[in-house]
Amino acid sequence: MNRNVLVLNSGSSSLKYAVVEADSGNTRSDGIVERIGDSEVADYAAALQVVFERLADDMANLVAVGHRVVHGGPDIFAPTLVDDALVAKIEQLSPLAPLHNPPALQGIEVARRALPQLPHIAVFDTAFFHDLPPAAAMYAIDRDVAERWDVRRYGFHGTSHEYVSQQAAEFLGAPLDSLRQIVLHLGNGASASAIVGGRPVDTSMGLTPMEGLVMGTRSGDIDPGVLVYLWRTAGMSVEDIENMLNRNSGVRGLGGEIDFRVLHQRIDAGDAKACQAYDVYIHRLRKYIGAYLAVLGGADVIVFTAGVGENDAAVRRDALSGMAPLGIELDEQLNAEPNGTIRRISAETSPTTVLVVPTDEELAIARACVDLIEQ
Ligand code: ADP
């Protein structure tokens, strides 16, 4: 009998779902319900009903419901069985992730009510980075303030960074603990990590998923002085600033477009703003690659994953061009071939192997759920 896990990822106005066969790794069905809060899908309960209708037969043999939760704060990191105490804890963490944890909680609440007979398991985006070395995890700010308010670098997309780094080792037939890896998760959200022997030693996202790389709509790194200046001088409220940094920055803020396929069309048509957005995106990405090469003392593997990383050959080429002196040489032909499977794109002579590894956060969450209920 297949052991199927329903994986739910509740966003601010969308509910992504998948039914995954944990043993075979096959996805039986997946999709997204969007515009929650609009007239057709009033709330999360209504969205879940839509999911149930779509899944129908695929709801058989469910052994657990896995919930992606973005922020686990300082104390929660392992996949955890949801009970009232955990719900209360995630609620307490909402100030640390005001845009992400409240919708996840709503998703958990309605799913627990709808499927009370199944174990519900929360899997945290921060988990993989829980043991980041202090040198990477700490901000150099007043220690008392940081401790009082749990201000540290938590890291996100952990499920993906962990999954693709394991896949990379498997693909290369190399023990995970022998590899120094740089993982570039480039989707709408984007983050980089430096991994030694399967454990992360640095990552680009911090207290919130806003730090680091330039993203679809988020700024990534910014001088903290900008926030103070805009608040004090430009008359922007905290909400205005948060909204701008999350929704109207990044590639959209600079180039007016979030989708890289369209961005490339605009660049080809000579759109100067689209060109600048792309250049800023690539420049930041190269800076992080350079930083992590220094942190690791050289990389054995560089992995590209997520929507942009898996599909955009130009981004991969431009992120790594001119790095032969650092031991990184792409095979331009392998890089340019569209191909949805795990593959090498570096030249055979390249000391650093460059891979494209499709991520599968739903599968990783499903496996974490099965592991937990088997304990
Ligand atoms: P999310 O962070 O929402 O999970 P994804 O990892 O699905 O994001 O990435 C979505 C992004 O991937 C899109 O916004 C788009 O920019 C990019 N993308 C998807 N397909 C392609 C493609 N064929 N070429 C270039 N970029 C693509």
Side-chain angles (χ1 to χ4, degrees):
M1 187 184 90
N2 285 318
R3 293 181 302 173
N4 297 339
V5 177
L6 172 63
V7 179
L8 297 176
N9 180 355
S10 310
S12 58
S13 65
S14 71
L15 176 60
K16 286 191 198 162
Y17 61 91
V19 173
V20 181
E21 292 175 5
D23 301 305
S24 70
N26 292 332
T27 299
R28 292 181 67 91
S29 179
D30 63 359
I32 182 167
V33 180
E34 291 179 288
R35 297 170 191 258
I36 297 174
D38 276 12
S39 50
E40 276 164 49
V41 189
D43 53 20
Y44 281 89
L48 198 61
Q49 278 313 315
V50 175
V51 172
F52 289 165
E53 281 159 28
R54 289 192 196 162
L55 288 175
D57 294 348
D58 289 319
M59 293 288 288
N61 301 338
L62 286 182
V63 295
V65 184
H67 296 269
R68 177 185 181 218
V69 181
V70 166
H71 216 308
D75 303 321
I76 331 176
F77 42 94
T80 310
L81 198 62
V82 177
D83 56 15
D84 293 343
L86 185 76
V87 168
K89 267 196 200 162
I90 298 174
E91 213 156 24
Q92 274 171 15
L93 292 169
S94 284
L96 275 174
L99 305 174
H100 295 95
N101 276 18
L105 269 177
Q106 291 198 36
I108 288 173
E109 297 280 37
V110 299
R112 280 176 90 200
R113 255 180 268 134
L115 299 167
Q117 73 284 14
L118 289 173
H120 289 251
I121 293 157
V123 178
F124 297 88
D125 241 34
T126 43
F128 183 53
F129 299 114
H130 181 255
D131 293 323
L132 272 187
M138 292 172 78
Y139 289 110
I141 62 169
D142 184 321
R143 187 184 285 277
D144 295 338
V145 173
E147 284 174 4
R148 164 77 179 81
W149 295 100
D150 294 322
V151 176
R152 51 159 280 194
R153 305 189 60 255
Y154 289 92
F156 300 87
H157 293 144
T159 308
S160 176
H161 284 270
E162 182 174 29
Y163 175 79
V164 299
S165 57
Q166 290 169 347
Q167 289 288 111
E170 223 170 273
F171 177 76
L172 295 171
L176 187 59
D177 57 16
S178 69
L179 295 176
R180 296 165 301 170
Q181 303 194 44
I182 296 175
V183 174
L184 304 168
H185 175 109
L186 310 177
N188 285 324
S191 59
S193 67
I195 299 177
V196 179
R199 304 298 315 157
V201 294
D202 205 351
T203 193
S204 60
M205 285 177 165
L207 176 78
T208 73
M210 291 208 278
E211 190 179 343
L213 300 174
V214 176
M215 314 188 202
T217 64
R218 286 173 245 164
S219 63
D221 292 339
I222 187 170
D223 175 354
V226 173
L227 316 191
V228 179
Y229 172 76
L230 292 176
W231 177 75
R232 185 182 288 139
T233 309
M236 288 174 77
S237 67
V238 169
E239 288 72 26
D240 291 340
I241 295 171
E242 184 175 58
N243 206 28
M244 180 193 78
L245 293 176
N246 264 297
R247 301 205 164 89
N248 297 322
S249 296
V251 174
R252 174 188 281 162
L254 290 176
E257 176 54 54
I258 180 178
D259 191 314
F260 271 69
R261 288 162 287 200
V262 182
L263 193 72
H264 285 298
Q265 288 169 4
R266 297 235 178 120
I267 292 169
D268 292 344
D271 180 332
K273 288 181 183 160
C275 284
Q276 272 179 350
Y278 184 77
D279 290 348
V280 174
Y281 180 92
I282 294 291
H283 183 72
R284 182 82 51 83
L285 189 52
R286 292 172 63 89
K287 283 194 354 185
Y288 268 91
I289 293 165
Y292 288 173
L293 285 171
V295 166
L296 294 170
D300 303 301
V301 189
I302 295 177
V303 179
F304 285 91
T305 193
V308 177
E310 290 168 32
N311 297 300
D312 196 320
V315 164
R316 296 192 299 257
R317 179 197 64 209
D318 296 336
L320 299 180
S321 66
M323 293 195 189
L326 301 172
I328 303 163
E329 292 168 57
L330 278 193
D331 179 318
E332 297 221 352
Q333 214 172 334
L334 290 179
N335 181 48
E337 274 168 22
N339 174 340
T341 58
I342 184 166
R343 62 196 188 275
R344 174 176 63 84
I345 56 168
S346 48
E348 248 171 276
T349 50
S350 177
T352 297
T353 303
V354 185
L355 301 177
V356 176
V357 181
T359 194
D360 195 339
E361 288 160 288
E362 289 73 24
L363 173 59
I365 290 173
R367 287 196 174 141
C369 291
V370 168
D371 286 349
L372 184 72
I373 57 181
E374 274 181 352
Q375 272 176 13

